[in-house]
Amino acid sequence: MNFRFQNLLGAPYRGGNAVISGDSLLLSPTGNRIVATDLIHSRSITFPFEAASDLSRLAVSDDGRLLFAADSTDKGRVFLISVPSRAVLHRTTFKKPVSAARFSPDGAFIAVGLGKLIQIWRCPGFKKEFFPFHLERTFADFSATVTSFDWSPDSNFLLAGSKDLTMRLLSLKGKRSENKPFLFLGHREPIVGAFFALDKKTGTSNRAYSVSRDGAIFTWDLVEHMDVDSDRVSPDTQDQNLDVDGDDNNLIIKFESPTRKRKQLEDDEPSKLPWRLRKKDFFMQAPARLTACDYHRELDMVVVGFSNGVFGLYQMPDFVCLHLLSISREKITTAAFNRAGNWLLFGCAKLGQLLVWEWRSESYVLKQQGHYFDVNCVAYSPDSQLLATGADDNKVKVWTVSSGFCFITFSEHTNAVTAVHFMANNHSLLSASLDGTVRAWDLFRYRNFRTFTTPSPRQFVSLAADQSGEVICAGTLDSFEIFVWSMKTGRLLDVLSGHEGPVHGLMFSPINAVLASSSWDKTVRLWDVFEGKGSIETFTHNHDVLTVVYRPDGKQLACSTLDGLIHFWDPLDGVLMYTIEGRRDISGGRRMTDRRSAANSAGRYFTSLCYSADGSFILAGGNSRFVCMYDVAEQVLIKRFQITHNLSLDGVLDFLNSKNMTEAGPLDLIDDPDSDIEDGIDTQTRGKLGQNLPGSMQNRGRPVARTKCLRIAPTGRSWASATTEGVLLYSVDDSFVFDPTDLDMDVTPEKVEEALADDQKQRALLLSFRLNEDSLIKKCIFAVSPLNVPAVCSSVPFKYLQRLIEAFADLLESCPHLEFILQWCQELCKVHGHYIQQNSRALLPALKSLQKAITKLHQDLADTCSSNEYLLRYLCSSGTKV
């Protein structure tokens, strides 16, 4: 099947700067991808492209059409992206790390900070060019890294701050040799923000602000008179009588001097523009450091974030504190305004948290926090609309698949969550943890309504529930036992003993009450839980068994072993059916500590397996960057998905650079105390929370690309993978697939149109099925009148039923003709009900998709009808009283 990447869940933010395009589109870097969040419709989507490494710097144009993205490597790879189409327009390399970037207000230029340099590039357009980036000017007068800059409203001047404690005014007008930068001195710590203010009367900038890391904000003004030969301004500059006028494009300075006549300086270089320090203000958050800030020019407001999780909103130039709140205990790594200035964006990289706050109403517009450690497990709900995840941060999150938003987080566990499982009723969720508990969660009331424990502390690593939902089983890591509880009473019913290693796989048979378990003791065991007979069958292997799954019809069992093999067993007869050798399929990617090449390295195996809804293929993933799809009947590899191309992760490259290897080991494993890498970009390189303290844990290098869990949706049209990058969602994309059946010279789109014109609806529908064109099939369905639906349904051949049901499921999600489509479904079930029942296994994915669409519509209509009912009651009662 044609699965393509759809979305990324579980990690909305990991570091760098996030921006708001326009008023409501939030763009945030997530690893080597970019996530766009619609703040109005509460929906997130991930851009389809991948960068070569983690993205750390974003800049969006004022019109919101272009996005500039730069990675965190020393090569300075950048992308120019079209935001509406989410496509990469141009790529280039600056050969230096990008520390700051900003579009000019007119969109003609991009200012890029490259270490101690500032380069002004002409902004590429939407046309194809051989080399779209053109360098206009370079400023190389800084003695330390450039941290931020701001354009003047007319795009003629640039205000830049750096780590050398200075802010400089740069001009793009005139000759390069004549324009010397103008220095603003007085700060005692590196500059975090530099901003031009706007004079609303004249439309020019006659005031500037500089913000430093120690929490100081200096206000600078154009003065009425000062020495024009001065090349810098310090806090001791004296005021003199000077009259400053401004218009939209020029700065005009008029002054009086006893030794010379009045003259006019127009379009002068910035080193002769008279600026002075007006006042100093301090945010008073010591010992915390100021880590993020932004300025809104129209509202004349500054928002700042500190390392203690406190943010402040101040009205300038009077420095009036409007809000001062604490949103977390960790450092705020990004802060930004939206275009209207009513929403504030904050990000905390260590917690993977993004907040959007409406400061006028003092309420949250967005509050999303992903898992800030590896996701261990995922599970789809029976209707495929929800996705549950559990991670090493002790939390269970439930996501809406269609919107990509997390709507509930359960944090009662005190250790890593290792397994999650949805109950068949779709209203409750189970989770197992290393803290020795299995918890049941109510998805209606959002509470923990049952907790299953053991007489002595145990660590649970696997979880299963029977089809009726009455029995809960969990496998342990330390005692090698399987515990069985009653869902209704919460009592411990039985303890299944027999394994001699950790029980990492559990699953009930879909057709009976037999429980299958896999263990590191090289066995797969079948248990009769209800009869209490203990182990009734044992399948032995040559290596440790890592996971076990049942085929949806219950007639086949698959398990993976430590030697990279997948074994398929017949659970009814107890015989080995066949074996897939996937060691070579999953191999690839050399880690920095590997002594052998990627082709010869051992230790690649599958840790997670999952059957498709019809059991025709199986997905397998493990400690590699690949997810393999196998055809079960033919035992051949159908497709291999690479979960990431991010070079910031270990195990992505097949060949390593020998320059990075020293006598002391790989360079990435050697700590660099002088590194300027921004916090949050390398958060996962130090292990878990609390272990990144000095001397507590050695640097283990970059996180390793791997897959921990795989799950296919019950509809069969999407699957989820818990990886190092987060939860990756893949879905079927039929938009560009031409897959006709029974094609000949007479089967063409023109023939379908002719049949519709001749009122031959049945023939037109059959021709569209043979072409397998989605748009033609839907057009033929709507061309049939409601009175002729039963006759057309009876003429549909059996082999086209699945395609017709899939079309109905798609139409129910997008078209408004609900009653008409439901009439089609009803008549189809009446005519072909017996065939559908006999071939339910082959039609199961399509039927699940149809059920999902009908259930979603039913919920929406139920809410609407309930609200209308109460509204009508109120109107009737009001009319009676009048």
Side-chain angles (χ1 to χ4, degrees), residues 376-523:
N376 294 325
C377 49
V378 295
Y380 272 100
S381 62
D383 59 1
S384 301
Q385 295 187 24
L386 304 179
L387 186 74
T389 58
D392 285 339
D393 59 359
N394 313 340
K395 295 181 180 179
V396 177
K397 291 179 177 289
V398 185
W399 309 75
T400 303
V401 176
S402 59
S403 67
F405 267 50
C406 172
F407 65 90
I408 185 62
T409 300
F410 301 110
S411 56
E412 278 80 356
H413 282 296
T414 58
N415 209 329
V417 180
T418 54
V420 289
H421 180 78
F422 270 98
M423 301 299 289
N425 57 12
N426 206 43
H427 301 155
S428 55
L429 173 70
L430 298 174
S431 63
S433 171
L434 295 179
D435 62 2
T437 63
V438 174
R439 297 178 182 269
W441 313 94
D442 188 344
L443 296 182
F444 281 163
R445 299 176 178 86
Y446 303 142
R447 64 184 181 90
N448 177 209
F449 68 92
R450 190 88 72 225
T451 302
F452 307 96
T453 59
T454 56
S456 59
R458 293 289 185 267
Q459 291 182 316
F460 296 114
V461 291
S462 56
L463 181 64
D466 70 326
Q467 297 296 317
S468 63
E470 297 179 357
V471 173
I472 309 299
C473 299
T476 59
L477 178 67
D478 43 6
S479 66
F480 316 146
E481 297 170 325
I482 301 173
F483 291 86
V484 183
W485 295 275
S486 169
M487 184 65 180
K488 292 183 179 180
T489 63
R491 295 179 56 185
L492 182 63
L493 300 178
D494 196 2
V495 179
L496 306 179
S497 303
H499 279 298
E500 299 177 357
V503 183
H504 268 268
L506 280 181
M507 189 173 186
F508 271 98
S509 171
I511 58 176
N512 50 40
V514 175
L515 174 69
S517 63
S518 63
S519 173
W520 291 2
D521 61 1
K522 305 178 183 180
T523 63

Side-chain angles (χ1 to χ4, degrees), residues 18 292-294 303-305 332-337 345-347:
C293 66
D294 193 22
V303 59
V304 291
I332 297 176
T333 53
T334 184
F337 282 96
L345 164 66
F346 303 100

Side-chain angles (χ1 to χ4, degrees), residues 187 212 214-218 280-285 314 319:
H187 283 286
S212 60
D214 58 354
I217 179 170
F218 289 1
K280 302 179 183 178
D281 294 299
F282 297 90
F283 295 106
M284 306 301 292
Q285 287 292 323
Y314 294 83
F319 197 69

Side-chain angles (χ1 to χ4, degrees), residues 299-419:
L299 297 179
D300 201 9
M301 289 183 179
V302 173
V303 59
V304 291
F306 297 91
S307 58
N308 58 358
V310 174
F311 81 90
L313 180 64
Y314 294 83
Q315 181 70 59
M316 303 302 291
D318 299 327
F319 197 69
V320 177
C321 180
L322 302 179
H323 295 284
L324 189 66
L325 296 174
S326 175
I327 57 176
S328 71
R329 297 182 181 180
E330 301 296 336
K331 179 174 71 173
I332 297 176
T333 53
T334 184
F337 282 96
N338 70 332
R339 183 166 55 188
N342 56 338
W343 290 350
L344 305 177
L345 164 66
F346 303 100
C348 178
K350 195 168 186 178
L351 300 179
Q353 187 177 40
L354 277 178
L355 304 174
V356 178
W357 196 63
E358 212 282 325
W359 62 271
R360 288 190 174 95
S361 62
E362 300 185 8
S363 60
Y364 284 109
V365 178
L366 172 74
K367 192 174 183 181
Q368 286 288 299
Q369 179 178 353
H371 294 290
Y372 48 89
F373 289 136
D374 286 351
V375 179
N376 294 325
C377 49
V378 295
Y380 272 100
S381 62
D383 59 1
S384 301
Q385 295 187 24
L386 304 179
L387 186 74
T389 58
D392 285 339
D393 59 359
N394 313 340
K395 295 181 180 179
V396 177
K397 291 179 177 289
V398 185
W399 309 75
T400 303
V401 176
S402 59
S403 67
F405 267 50
C406 172
F407 65 90
I408 185 62
T409 300
F410 301 110
S411 56
E412 278 80 356
H413 282 296
T414 58
N415 209 329
V417 180
T418 54

Side-chain angles (χ1 to χ4, degrees), residues 518-563:
S518 63
S519 173
W520 291 2
D521 61 1
K522 305 178 183 180
T523 63
V524 170
R525 295 175 183 264
L526 301 183
W527 311 80
D528 191 338
V529 177
F530 288 91
E531 297 295 333
K533 297 180 180 179
S535 178
I536 58 176
E537 190 76 47
T538 301
F539 305 140
T540 59
H541 301 78
N542 296 327
H543 292 81
D544 297 356
V545 184
L546 305 177
T547 186
V548 62
V549 289
Y550 266 106
R551 199 168 68 181
D553 61 358
K555 298 179 180 180
Q556 191 179 82
L557 192 70
C559 61
S560 65
T561 54
L562 197 61
D563 56 350

